[in-house]
Amino acid sequence: MDEDIILESASERSSWKDRTPGQTEVRIVADFQAGWRLDLFLVHHFPEYSRVLLRKAIQSEGVFVDGKRGKPAYRLVPGQKVEFTLPELPRESPVPEDIPLEILYEDEDLAVVNKPPDMVVHPSRGHWSGTMVGALAFRYANQLSTVRGPGRPGIVHRLDRDTSGAILVAKNDIAHARLAALFENKKIQKEYFAIVLGVPNVDRDIVDLPIGHHPKNREKMRIAPDDPEAKQAQTFFEVADRFRGFSTIRALPKTGRTHQIRVHLAHYGCPVLCDKLYGGRAEITLGEIAGMRELRSESPENADQADLILLNRQALHARKITFLHPESGKQITVEAPIPKDMEQTIAALKKYRSLDDRKTAK
């Protein structure tokens, strides 16, 4: 259970519009919610509020469990009564911005957008403008789902700021509810493509290790087998191509934990290239891949290109998404082309880091 899981019924998914800040909402813990953290229980029932805002509400005595003050990490028991006094939403609807979007697929119920790198999905502290939500609001006006509140119209799931690729957008609340249910039941398949440091010694493998919050760095996640708050996480990966010191990887997450692919690949010893949080570097240049000697041997002009930055964000791309259409039930697969910065990095690897006995996964 994570912040991207929405509500369990279409009627309740759109009921945020009937709520008034200051009123108290009551929810009874269901059997399937046994052991859920209180903050995630509230995320599930009140997706218009961020997890950070819900934690603040809990800590300011705005949430009670069976009449007693709650704590964010409190584990719930079926039958308990949760009372939540609704806080003010921090912002109203996003400001529409005329930002171009590449639409990979579209019909009356949904769209699939190829999110560029360095774009935040929805507004947050420090990122009130230039978001995908602002671009969607400009393009579609009021033709988006309202399930997640006025600050996140159409948003069913997310990608990290520096991760590019395919992301689903719902155009109405019914489509949103059905897509969210597919995510919750793990019936939407996402395939990622990554350039990594290092070369795995197998063609394919599964990393099945729980992920939890880092105890000292709030921005990071970590492998945490001994942390009771950690969540099960499973990622299948397959080597697409090998180079000297680098590889390209297909990754299929079976769960949807925060930073899952990045954490799992780093733990495996092959961190995503230019992942400054888990890989220790923020950019890579042509000279670092080719080597100065090689560049000089080609021509003086090439040597002048040694400082050319090929990539300055994590080399992770949501390449493909497969789902059942919420209205027709037809299976749809949408693929997002590899972005230019990753393409030029791969081209440099093929030119300067190729292996004579290179193996490609079948």
Side-chain angles (χ1 to χ4, degrees), residues 164-339:
S164 55
I167 184 168
L168 267 170
V169 175
K171 291 188 177 181
N172 58 68
D173 288 356
I174 293 176
H176 194 140
R178 292 172 178 170
L179 290 171
L182 291 174
F183 270 109
E184 185 169 3
N185 293 316
K186 299 179 175 62
K187 292 184 178 179
I188 292 183
Q189 181 177 322
K190 293 187 288 184
E191 179 183 315
Y192 290 76
F193 182 79
I195 307 172
V196 303
L197 284 167
V199 182
N201 57 8
V202 295
D203 286 342
R204 54 188 64 84
D205 204 348
I206 294 178
V207 182
D208 189 357
L209 292 167
I211 292 175
H213 290 277
H214 195 282
K216 296 181 180 180
N217 187 336
R218 296 180 63 184
E219 295 183 4
K220 293 184 70 172
M221 307 299 286
R222 62 169 183 145
I223 301 297
D226 300 322
D227 182 355
E229 304 295 330
K231 300 294 183 180
Q232 176 196 5
Q234 188 178 71
T235 305
F236 169 84
F237 76 82
E238 182 177 49
V239 179
D241 220 340
R242 290 180 171 89
F243 307 95
R244 287 185 290 110
F246 301 85
S247 306
T248 54
I249 298 285
R250 291 175 59 243
L252 287 80
K254 304 302 182 182
T255 50
R257 308 306 176 202
T258 301
H259 297 177
Q260 176 177 317
I261 294 173
R262 298 162 63 191
V263 173
H264 274 171
L265 286 175
H267 179 81
Y268 201 81
C270 296
V272 175
L273 182 62
C274 297
D275 186 343
K276 62 183 177 182
L277 200 57
Y278 300 104
R281 66 183 305 148
E283 62 182 35
I284 192 164
T285 64
L286 177 61
E288 289 174 301
I289 289 179
M292 285 300 298
R293 179 180 296 179
E294 180 71 19
L295 289 175
R296 287 195 185 101
S297 69
E298 291 181 339
S299 71
E301 290 76 14
N302 280 4
D304 293 339
Q305 295 294 308
D307 293 331
L308 175 66
I309 296 174
L310 297 176
L311 192 73
N312 59 1
R313 56 99 178 185
Q314 63 208 27
L316 184 62
H317 177 67
R319 187 175 191 175
K320 189 183 298 184
I321 188 164
T322 300
F323 58 95
L324 298 179
H325 192 279
E327 183 62 32
S328 68
K330 178 183 177 181
Q331 180 171 295
I332 294 175
T333 297
V334 182
E335 186 166 348
I338 303 299

Side-chain angles (χ1 to χ4, degrees), residues 43-63:
V43 167
H44 185 73
H45 284 284
F46 303 94
E48 65 268 30
Y49 295 104
S50 70
R51 187 172 175 183
V52 172
L53 186 59
L54 289 170
R55 281 178 172 173
K56 289 181 179 177
I58 296 170
Q59 293 164 352
S60 62
E61 302 187 33
V63 182

Side-chain angles (χ1 to χ4, degrees), residues 110-121:
L110 59 89
V112 180
V113 177
N114 188 11
K115 187 187 86 66
D118 197 30
M119 173 181 272
V120 175
V121 171

